[in-house]
Amino acid sequence: MAQGSTVTRERIAAMEPRIRPYIRHTPVLRVDMADFDRPPLAVDLKLECLQHSGSFKARGAFTNLLERPVPKAGVVAASGGNHGAAVAYAAMRLGHKATIFVPEVSPQAKLDLIRSYGADLVVGGARYAEALAASERFAQETGALQIHAFNQEETLVGQGTLGLEIENDLPEIDTLLVAVGGGGLIGGIAAWYAGRIRIIAIEPEGAPTLHRAFEAGHPVDAPAEGIAADSLAPKRVGELMFPIAEAFVERSILVSDDDIIAAQKALWNRVRIIAEPGGAAAFAAILSGRHTPAPGERVAALICGANANPANF
């Protein structure tokens, strides 16, 4: 484990049975890249896009609500969409009030989903950082419990349960490709594996948060642009995840918006999987050739979110 981190395999293993009644064990689909007009290669796709609320975020949301006392004012979260939907869903299931702040860049599909779970939705600010600041002010004024999308121990532990599930499903893989925004997902998964497989971060060229952090040796501000800006474009990766990533994430690979769009279309057209831009980023690295597996390398890609309209592909 990264030195000083409290996001441990033991905590993740203990948390998994607590959230299990509320989350789905999502399936794995093995595809042959020949079906995508590429050289033959078996790739396992972990379809976390089929999780409640449409992304992996439900794991961290339930962990927060089950591990931390929730006041009468309920919970508040800032989100590009997926974290907000997950917190709203978890709050609905557990009987708590939820207030969700999202930036103007959030797509309508995610706004509609959040509202469908009965949360109070506040849309404002151009990017995630502005929604986060507004949510922090709301928490101070009302006493609502703030649930951070990635820089929160409980969030990292909850996302780490996905690493546990992937290992149970795919014990033989050598390499796992994981999309990165704020880093809560890859931080939790890397904490679970603790160096036992290769974990490679996949990021959009327009939002290279972990890439820049690796270059600088600490989290730094990065651009927050591109087609996946609603899910993979906070200003910087979380302080809590970075030591874990330094210890256990091999490197970051950047993919273009065109790569991501091609991956979305290919997943829909060839295997009927709906993936939002951030959800398709890991597969984009394989489809584009930006990650070329070595002979015999057993590769899995995490399809982590599905909150998109396939009519747009």
Side-chain angles (χ1 to χ4, degrees):
M1 180 49 50
Q3 188 173 7
S5 175
T6 57
V7 183
T8 62
R9 283 174 54 82
E10 291 75 20
R11 279 188 75 184
I12 293 166
M15 196 66 224
E16 200 277 342
R18 290 197 66 196
I19 65 171
R20 176 53 52 195
Y22 304 103
I23 62 171
R24 292 182 180 133
H25 187 133
T26 53
V28 171
L29 176 67
R30 178 162 293 179
V31 299
D32 187 336
M33 293 307 295
D35 294 335
F36 299 90
D37 304 320
R38 299 294 188 271
L41 173 71
V43 175
D44 289 306
L45 304 179
K46 176 63 170 172
L47 302 182
E48 190 67 7
C49 50
L50 300 179
Q51 187 55 260
H52 289 297
S53 76
S55 84
F56 69 92
K57 298 278 192 177
R59 297 171 183 270
F62 276 108
T63 299
N64 271 280
L65 268 66
L66 292 171
E67 284 282 275
R68 302 167 67 196
V70 178
K72 186 176 180 181
V75 297
V76 59
S79 169
N82 285 339
H83 175 62
V87 171
Y89 175 77
M92 179 187 72
R93 285 287 308 273
L94 296 174
H96 300 298
K97 176 182 169 73
T99 305
I100 310 298
F101 289 77
V102 300
E104 294 158 5
V105 71
S106 296
Q108 190 64 42
K110 295 185 180 183
L111 306 186
D112 293 343
L113 188 61
I114 292 168
R115 289 192 180 101
S116 77
Y117 297 139
D120 292 335
L121 182 65
V122 182
V123 182
R127 288 288 184 266
Y128 167 77
E130 294 164 72
L132 177 62
S135 74
E136 290 169 342
R137 290 192 296 271
F138 179 86
Q140 290 173 350
E141 293 166 1
T142 66
L145 176 68
Q146 189 160 20
I147 301 179
H148 198 282
F150 52 88
N151 199 38
Q152 180 90 39
E153 280 187 12
E154 290 82 4
T155 302
L156 285 159
V157 169
Q159 317 314 21
T161 65
L162 181 50
L164 183 159
E165 190 170 300
I166 292 170
E167 183 169 19
N168 287 340
D169 290 344
L170 298 167
E172 302 302 319
I173 60 171
D174 303 304
T175 303
L176 177 64
L177 307 183
V178 182
V180 173
L185 176 60
I186 201 168
I189 290 174
W192 171 258
Y193 275 105
R196 292 176 296 122
I197 65 169
R198 300 169 69 207
I199 295 178
I200 298 176
I202 312 299
E203 302 182 85
E205 291 175 345
T209 51
L210 186 57
H211 200 85
R212 291 283 180 90
F214 279 157
E215 290 177 340
H218 56 88
V220 294
D221 285 356
E225 305 299 334
I227 191 172
D230 64 303
S231 59
L232 299 183
K235 274 189 175 180
R236 58 171 66 190
V237 293
E239 299 284 344
L240 293 176
M241 70 76 62
F242 185 69
I244 301 170
E246 270 200 312
F248 301 130
V249 175
E250 182 178 286
R251 67 185 188 278
S252 165
I253 295 173
L254 301 182
V255 293
S256 70
D257 280 0
D258 286 345
D259 294 335
I260 291 172
I261 292 168
Q264 282 186 284
K265 289 180 177 178
L267 287 168
W268 175 245
N269 290 332
R270 302 300 172 91
V271 285
R272 284 298 188 258
I273 292 170
I274 299 172
E276 63 188 273
F283 183 67
I286 299 174
L287 187 70
S288 66
R290 293 185 186 234
H291 176 69
T292 303
E297 182 180 349
R298 295 162 296 187
V299 182
L302 180 53
I303 311 300
C304 55
N307 290 317
N309 184 349
N312 298 329
F313 296 168

